[in-house]
Amino acid sequence: YKNLDAFTLINHDTVTYISMAFASGVFSWTLLEYLVHRFLNHKIKSIKIQHLLHHNMPKRLFGVPFSVSLLISLCFYLIALNFTKYAFIVSLGLYCGYYIYIGFHHAMHYHVKTISKIPYFKHMHFFHAFHHKNPKVNYGVTTTFWDYLFNTKA
């Protein structure tokens, strides 16, 4: 065992499970993004007021209050803990999805010319901009998947 390092001891199945756990966390974020945007930002009065200010002034970025984010994260972690021993990795994927969303949403409002060079980002920018004008459709920011699935795509 003298010449073995930690990576040598990890088998291919473990790497597969860790990769799948991480990817499921990122994918789960996209659902949370959609649900929070649709039901918290557009249905709960105190949050809706702030969020609609963002619609009217897009450069005024609005985020979910930290306490709500913390509660959602804790609930997600506890649920994941019951289904997988890789709950930490799933949660890590969830947080990475969240930070991708933050960066992407920021770029949509501050760096339109730059992101418009990439077809997917250009498409998502127009999709999101349409939501600002029509707040009952197009809730996804990083993906249109859930809007197609829940029939909220314009």
Side-chain angles (χ1 to χ4, degrees), residues 28-146:
S28 295
W29 164 255
T30 65
L31 176 59
L32 279 173
E33 169 196 313
Y34 175 88
L35 294 173
V36 166
H37 191 181
R38 181 175 179 186
F39 295 109
L40 290 181
N41 293 0
H42 287 276
K43 302 286 185 198
I44 296 176
K45 187 176 181 179
S46 59
I47 296 174
K48 182 178 179 178
I49 291 167
Q50 291 293 314
H51 185 68
L52 291 179
L53 286 173
H54 168 65
H55 279 228
N56 294 328
M57 298 178 285
K59 292 201 180 216
R60 182 177 186 260
L61 293 178
F62 167 78
V64 175
F66 178 74
S67 57
V68 174
S69 296
L70 188 62
L71 182 63
I72 290 170
S73 297
L74 180 61
C75 290
F76 184 82
Y77 178 75
L78 293 174
I79 291 167
L81 199 55
N82 287 315
F83 290 103
T84 178
K85 64 183 179 180
Y86 298 106
F88 176 76
I89 303 297
V90 173
S91 297
L92 188 61
L94 179 77
Y95 286 114
C96 284
Y98 173 71
Y99 285 110
I100 290 166
Y101 156 79
I102 292 294
F104 195 47
H105 191 225
H106 177 82
M108 283 181 169
H109 294 296
Y110 288 90
H111 305 288
V112 177
K113 287 182 182 178
T114 303
I115 67 166
S116 290
K117 294 175 185 175
I118 301 167
Y120 180 77
F121 293 156
K122 183 177 183 177
H123 168 73
M124 290 308 300
H125 168 70
F126 285 115
F127 186 83
H128 182 66
F130 190 83
H131 170 75
H132 276 249
K133 304 265 187 268
N134 303 280
K136 294 186 179 193
V137 294
N138 294 10
Y139 296 101
V141 173
T142 58
T143 182
T144 60
F145 177 79
W146 301 108

Side-chain angles (χ1 to χ4, degrees), residues 6-26:
F7 294 106
T8 307
L9 298 174
I10 296 175
N11 65 38
H12 293 292
D13 288 341
T14 302
V15 171
T16 300
Y17 293 138
I18 289 172
S19 299
M20 287 173 52
F22 183 82
S24 71
V26 173

